[in-house]
Amino acid sequence: MVSGKSRAEKMEETRKRLISAARKAFAENGYHAASMDELTANAGLTRGALYHNFGDKTGLLAAVVDQIDTAMATKAQEAGRKAGGGWSGLLAEGAAYIKMALEPEVQRIVLLDGPAVLGDPSRWPSQNQCLQATISTLNELVAQGQIKSVDIEGLARLLNGMALNAALWVASSDDAHSTLPKAIAAFECLASGALHTKLATPSPQDG
């Protein structure tokens, strides 16, 4: 005899349906204009299910932002691995994260509505996970003598903050595609200050 779904499984399925419907509604209409009645109806659920699982509309946005931003970090880290890891990988991660600001869903939900409604992105769980990954990479680079010996958490926060703010600039720009290369170049220029001078300055034969 096959048993039915457990209560926990049903709750998780409900959460997934609400988050999926919310991603669509927030991306198409923006957070403030999205109707919770339409959203829950499209998910085949009631507003009561929304309140039970997320507390309110803001709680639902937080869950959506966490899902998208976590996926963004995963994609950025994959770009870093493809670049060979280390310092080159760290720069590739930052550039990849900034490039995702061109995606309409990322622009609207994570970079525009997210900070406006949820506040300081550095306090988001997804950003904290990214911070810990950056700290780990920087500790390895210090051990290898590639970067200056400064406070690692401070450096990680500033590097991640630069990538995030560059993405915010791209997302809010009137011409995101033309802003993107300028944002990435500025990010890489500022980040290079963490390298030891002998690594950051080209040798005569390279000039």
Side-chain angles (χ1 to χ4, degrees), residues 24-45:
K24 186 174 186 296
F26 293 156
E28 291 178 353
N29 305 309
Y31 171 79
H32 293 291
S35 165
M36 292 299 93
D37 287 329
E38 290 182 12
L39 186 158
T40 51
N42 288 336
L45 298 165

Side-chain angles (χ1 to χ4, degrees), residues 23-189:
R23 282 183 69 154
K24 186 174 186 296
F26 293 156
E28 291 178 353
N29 305 309
Y31 171 79
H32 293 291
S35 165
M36 292 299 93
D37 287 329
E38 290 182 12
L39 186 158
T40 51
N42 288 336
L45 298 165
T46 64
R47 290 188 68 153
L50 186 157
Y51 297 136
H52 177 73
N53 284 276
F54 300 102
D56 55 17
K57 186 179 181 181
T58 302
L60 180 56
L61 175 66
V64 171
V65 166
D66 185 73
Q67 185 182 78
I68 299 173
D69 197 37
T70 297
M72 291 171 67
T74 299
K75 290 180 183 177
Q77 289 163 9
E78 178 60 27
R81 286 190 288 272
K82 287 181 179 178
W87 181 253
S88 295
L90 206 58
L91 291 183
E93 283 186 35
Y97 191 89
I98 298 168
K99 287 177 184 176
M100 282 180 261
L102 294 178
E103 300 175 16
E105 184 184 51
V106 170
Q107 279 187 10
R108 191 70 176 267
I109 300 176
V110 177
L111 300 174
L112 298 178
D113 285 345
V117 177
L118 303 176
D120 184 3
S122 69
R123 296 182 179 275
W124 297 351
S126 54
Q127 287 290 317
N128 185 61
Q129 293 169 10
C130 188
L131 174 67
Q132 298 308 315
T134 302
I135 288 174
S136 177
T137 299
L138 290 174
N139 277 323
E140 293 175 1
L141 292 171
V142 167
Q144 296 167 8
Q146 293 192 46
I147 62 175
K148 298 171 183 176
S149 182
V150 296
D151 184 82
I152 293 301
E153 181 180 345
L155 181 57
R157 286 185 179 277
L158 291 177
L159 285 172
N160 285 9
M162 284 194 299
L164 175 61
N165 277 278
L168 289 169
W169 178 31
V170 173
S172 61
S173 172
D174 291 333
D175 187 348
H177 286 275
S178 66
T179 301
L180 178 65
K182 293 185 287 187
I184 292 176
F187 165 75
E188 293 176 344
C189 176

